[in-house]
């Protein structure tokens, strides 16, 4: 992973070859490529319950071979093996990135890790089953009907995604992530303390948002129950920091371990997924893990030209490094996946939003594109206008389900018709329409690169495979760009400055170090109707 003798990506022979291919490729509209025989069969791959169709990408055989050559030259298959067998791939924090061990049957080299995982996984799943089955109830004996999951970033987004997609338990699950009193009030409104379980998830157990909300929840709970011993039945926590969990008052039986070799944004497979496990039960949670394992095996074993996470990574590189695409949209044509884009956004942008290589040298090529998107078809009535007629270049993933498992077949038919027609427009534009009837303001250029992922049924196994697909794509991008996808130092400076401004907001004498910020702080101090007390926390 850290081989300093290897070339930077742009110095490889494949990168140079692709640069030459891109010059020709940009002169050809994609509609001229896609007419080839068996295009769909050539450029689509099935893994488990996912069908990934990349036939609308701006590639032909020689470009595809050039991209495969880049992955080979980057020794991607060796690097995948290194990552999955526990080599130190997170070099700045000197850690492996072993989230795959949480779901893939044991690797011989990882016996100790596997034993730890199994022990903790069994404990967590037993706890979840006890909550679901009514053996672990609130302090007055009533069953748990509501969960408030408190966590942010990787300790939140995956859990919310999976719970929104799969929760059929009847237990209402609320997510509290933001440091915004309005969100805290909203999350607690109408809850009955006797039937509410608070799940606090924080790898560090020091994160401002999570700890502030956890303390607010505990205060809310104690004001209503007036019984400190009741906390044991209503607060459960997952962290790498046992001392802080204990200090907060979490009973040892309700503490679950997260290892330092699991990055936050890759952690939902661990006890971080306890909320998911309560929502879907232990057998389904195991299917979720095996869905991830199906993709792990494919990622480790499939040759590069058939390896779908590697191909998606190569297409990202082709679109953004060679064809100048500035952003990538993730468009979910299934409401149950409406927060999928937020999950992928953290996964991709926090992992690969880097400007230095793993060896510390500066990147001369762009790394992660900006990831955004939303729930469809709403986006079609909001931002698709820019996609169709704007001046920006982008690529997009369309995600839809074959069998929606509801009783509105005509809705589904329309949903799929919209999904497929949008990628059709993004490919062909108005080119196939009668020329003389298309006025200049109606012209749509097309020629945008899209991938469509069809999920057979959105069950636990399929969701596991889908999430693992994106995880591996992200890791593979890091391997080719030669960056460390597993740290996130860029977020630290903002956290430190927020602490300084927090102090300035509460004390009239303190000044912020810069004029513009001082102006904002002064405005708040002058105009707020409820001044902050110095030392408020
Ligand atoms: O600030 C970014 C970050 O560290 C993410 O990487 C992480 O997922 C999130 O904050 C939450 O961190 P924790 O789980 O330690 O509360």
């Amino acid at each position: 992973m850290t081989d300093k003798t290897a070339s930077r990506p742009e110095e490889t022979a494949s990168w140079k070859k692709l640069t030459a291919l891109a010059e020709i490729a940009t002169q050809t509209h994609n509609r001229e490529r896609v007419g080839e025989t068996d295009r769909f069969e050539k450029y689509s791959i099935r893994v488990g319950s996912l069908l990934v169709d990349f036939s609308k990408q701006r590639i032909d055989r020689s470009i595809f071979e050039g991209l495969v050559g880049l992955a080979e030259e980057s020794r991607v298959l060796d690097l995948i093996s290194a990552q999955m067998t526990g080599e130190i791939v997170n070099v700045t924090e000197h850690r492996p990135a072993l989230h795959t061990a949480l779901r893939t049957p044991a690797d011989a080299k990882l016996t100790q890790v596997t034993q730890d995982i199994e022990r903790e996984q069994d404990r967590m799943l037993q706890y979840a089953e006890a909550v679901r089955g009514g053996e672990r109830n609130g302090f007055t004996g009533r069953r748990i009907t509501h969960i408030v999951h408190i966590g942010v970033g990787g300790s939140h987004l995956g859990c919310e995604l999976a719970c929104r997609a799969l929760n059929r338990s009847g237990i209402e699950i609320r997510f509290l992530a933001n440091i915004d009193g309005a969100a805290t009030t909203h999350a607690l409104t109408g809850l009955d303390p006797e039937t509410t379980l608070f799940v606090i998830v924080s790898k560090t157990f020091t994160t401002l948002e999570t700890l502030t909300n956890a303390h607010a929840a505990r205060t809310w709970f104690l004001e209503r129950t007036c019984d400190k011993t009741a906390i044991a039945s209503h607060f459960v926590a997952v962290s790498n920091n046992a001392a802080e969990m204990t200090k907060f008052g979490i009973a040892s039986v309700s503490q679950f371990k997260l290892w330092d070799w699991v990055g936050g944004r890759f952690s939902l497979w661990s006890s971080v997924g306890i909320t998911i496990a309560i929502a879907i039960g232990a057998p389904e949670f195991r299917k979720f893990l095996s869905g991830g394992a199906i993709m792990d095996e494919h990622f480790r074993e499939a040759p590069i030209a058939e390896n779908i996470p590697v191909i998606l990574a190569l297409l990202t590189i082709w679109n953004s490094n060679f064809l100048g695409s500035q952003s990538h949209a993730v468009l979910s044509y299934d409401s149950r996946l409406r927060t999928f884009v937020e999950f992928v956004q953290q996964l991709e942008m926090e992992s690969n939003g880097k400007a230095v290589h793993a060896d510390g040298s500066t990147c001369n090529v762009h790394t992660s594109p900006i990831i955004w998107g939303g729930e469809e078809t709403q986006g079609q009535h909001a931002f698709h206008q820019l996609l169709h007629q704007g001046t920006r270049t982008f690529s997009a993933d369309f995600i839809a389900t074959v069998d929606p498992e509801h009783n509105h077949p005509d809705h589904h038919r329309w949903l799929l018709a919209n999904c497929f027609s949008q990628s059709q427009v993004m490919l062909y534009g108005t080119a196939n329409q009668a020329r003389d009837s298309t006025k200049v303001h109606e012209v749509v250029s097309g020629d945008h690169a899209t991938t469509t992922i069809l999920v057979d049924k959105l069950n636990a196994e399929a969701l596991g495979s889908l999430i693992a697909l994106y995880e591996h794509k992200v890791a593979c991008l890091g391997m080719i760009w030669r960056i460390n996808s597993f740290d996130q130092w860029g977020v630290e400076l903002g956290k430190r400055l927020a602490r300084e401004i927090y102090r300035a907001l509460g004390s009239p004498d303190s000044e912020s170090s810069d004029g513009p910020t001082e102006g904002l702080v002064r405005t708040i101090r002058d105009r707020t109707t409820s001044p902050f007390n110095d030392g408020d926390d």
Side-chain angles (χ1 to χ4, degrees):
M1 202 75 185
T2 57
D3 177 6
K4 290 187 179 160
T5 59
S7 315
R8 298 155 154 281
E10 73 276 17
E11 287 167 0
T12 59
S14 310
W15 197 278
K16 288 171 189 157
K17 186 175 160 197
L18 287 163
T19 306
L21 285 170
E23 274 177 35
I24 307 163
T26 44
Q27 289 159 30
T28 309
H29 194 290
N30 208 23
R31 65 177 170 261
E32 289 170 35
R33 290 187 200 101
V34 295
E36 68 177 305
T37 325
D38 297 336
R39 172 95 183 170
F40 180 82
E41 287 70 25
K42 279 184 207 154
Y43 296 119
S44 59
I45 289 177
R46 172 170 280 282
V47 179
S49 24
L50 308 185
L51 184 276
V52 184
D53 161 32
F54 53 102
S55 62
K56 290 182 176 138
Q57 288 286 336
R58 297 168 71 190
I59 53 170
D60 58 20
R61 184 49 47 190
S62 57
I63 296 166
F64 187 69
E65 284 169 4
L67 290 167
V68 169
L70 177 64
E72 281 166 355
E73 216 179 327
S74 308
R75 298 186 303 111
V76 156
L77 293 180
D78 292 344
L79 297 176
I80 292 169
S81 167
Q83 182 192 309
M84 287 194 179
T85 52
E87 283 193 23
I88 305 290
V89 291
N90 179 351
V91 286
T92 60
E93 295 175 305
H94 205 68
R95 290 172 190 161
L98 265 178
H99 45 281
T100 48
L102 294 163
R103 61 208 186 207
T104 296
D107 185 294
K109 287 190 192 164
L110 300 173
T111 318
Q112 183 56 50
V113 169
T114 309
Q115 283 170 2
D116 283 359
I117 291 169
E118 277 170 6
R119 199 176 317 115
E120 203 59 11
Q121 218 162 54
D122 287 347
R123 275 189 67 225
M124 183 276 275
L125 291 176
Q126 274 166 20
Y127 190 103
E129 281 296 320
V131 172
R132 283 169 67 81
E135 291 109 49
R136 181 171 275 285
N137 294 331
F139 76 111
T140 57
R142 291 173 63 197
R143 281 178 85 132
I144 297 300
T145 57
H146 289 74
I147 292 176
V148 181
H149 179 110
I150 302 175
V152 70
S155 296
H156 157 225
L157 294 164
C159 293
E160 179 162 13
L161 163 65
C163 288
R164 282 195 188 280
L166 305 173
N167 182 18
R168 317 262 187 285
S169 65
I171 297 175
E172 184 182 323
I173 301 173
R174 301 182 182 186
F175 289 89
L176 178 54
N178 205 352
I179 182 123
D180 178 340
T184 311
T185 304
H186 187 67
L188 297 173
T189 298
L191 293 178
D192 181 342
E194 290 182 37
T195 57
T196 299
L197 180 69
F198 294 94
V199 178
I200 306 167
V201 181
S202 175
K203 181 173 172 181
T204 54
F205 225 77
T206 56
T207 302
L208 172 76
E209 291 87 340
T210 304
L211 268 292
T212 307
N213 281 324
H215 281 285
R218 192 175 62 172
T219 303
W220 176 93
F221 181 80
L222 287 176
E223 278 168 2
R224 282 154 185 82
T225 59
C226 305
D227 182 357
K228 271 195 169 179
T229 62
I231 286 183
S233 317
H234 291 266
F235 285 78
V236 52
V238 186
S239 180
N240 184 229
N241 190 341
E244 285 301 316
M245 285 194 278
T246 304
K247 203 166 127 197
F248 184 88
I250 306 289
S252 58
V253 57
S254 306
Q255 293 186 13
F256 294 94
K257 191 166 154 186
L258 181 61
W259 302 271
D260 67 358
W261 42 259
V262 189
R265 52 196 174 272
F266 302 90
S267 67
L268 78 169
W269 317 94
S270 69
S271 294
V272 166
I274 187 168
T275 306
I276 308 170
I278 296 172
I280 66 177
E284 287 299 307
F285 192 83
R286 291 201 187 279
K287 285 188 200 158
F288 176 63
L289 297 178
S290 55
I294 289 170
M295 195 54 70
D296 296 341
E297 195 190 336
H298 170 82
F299 187 47
R300 202 178 35 217
E301 305 297 339
I304 286 173
E306 294 162 29
N307 192 315
I308 196 60
V310 176
I311 291 171
L312 291 188
L314 291 169
L315 292 169
T316 297
I317 287 179
W318 177 241
N319 288 321
S320 63
N321 292 114
F322 294 95
L323 302 183
S325 181
Q326 292 146 342
S327 75
H328 181 75
V330 178
L331 308 172
S332 298
Y333 282 76
D334 187 315
S335 297
R336 293 169 295 176
L337 291 175
R338 65 179 168 278
T339 65
F340 188 62
V341 61
E342 290 162 34
F343 173 78
V344 174
Q345 193 172 55
Q346 187 207 16
L347 184 64
E348 299 217 18
M349 293 172 77
E350 197 168 79
S351 299
N352 289 337
K354 312 281 164 69
V356 289
H357 294 296
D359 67 4
S361 60
T362 305
C363 296
N364 294 326
V365 298
H366 278 303
T367 56
S368 179
I370 292 164
I371 307 290
W372 63 285
E375 179 191 355
E376 302 292 355
T377 61
Q378 281 103 301
Q380 294 178 204
H381 302 276
F383 53 78
H384 281 230
Q385 165 62 31
L386 180 148
L387 301 184
H388 295 316
Q389 290 191 308
T391 55
R392 303 283 178 178
T393 49
F394 65 91
S395 54
D397 289 347
F398 288 78
I399 302 167
T401 314
V402 178
D403 177 356
E405 299 172 272
H406 60 57
N407 293 326
H408 303 281
D410 204 45
H411 279 69
H412 194 55
R413 188 171 166 183
W414 273 118
L415 188 67
L416 291 177
N418 274 279
C419 175
F420 300 166
S421 63
Q422 287 298 306
S423 66
Q424 199 177 32
V425 174
M426 288 178 195
L427 167 56
Y428 295 101
T430 37
N432 288 354
Q433 313 304 310
R435 274 263 160 237
D436 43 0
S437 64
T438 310
K439 307 201 174 60
V440 66
H441 55 269
E442 292 173 352
V443 170
V444 173
S445 62
D447 205 19
H448 298 292
T450 67
T451 293
T452 302
I453 301 175
L454 292 180
V455 183
D456 286 345
K457 275 187 187 176
L458 188 58
N459 54 30
E461 184 185 287
L463 185 66
S465 295
L466 182 67
I467 292 173
L469 168 65
Y470 278 80
E471 284 184 353
H472 292 325
K473 168 193 155 186
V474 162
C476 185
L477 280 166
M479 292 166 192
I480 298 173
W481 282 323
R482 305 190 61 71
I483 56 178
N484 178 1
S485 300
F486 302 106
D487 63 8
Q488 58 284 319
W489 294 100
V491 299
E492 295 306 320
L493 176 61
K495 289 182 190 172
R496 184 163 60 72
L497 294 183
R499 280 195 289 276
E500 285 172 19
I501 295 173
Y502 174 87
R503 278 193 288 277
L505 284 165
S507 77
D509 309 328
S510 75
E511 279 189 13
S512 181
S513 54
D514 70 290
T517 309
E518 176 57 21
L520 292 171
V521 168
R522 224 182 313 112
T523 306
I524 296 292
R525 278 204 218 115
D526 293 348
R527 297 189 68 88
T528 186
T529 47
S530 51
F532 306 108
N533 296 325
D534 200 7
D536 229 9
D537 61 12

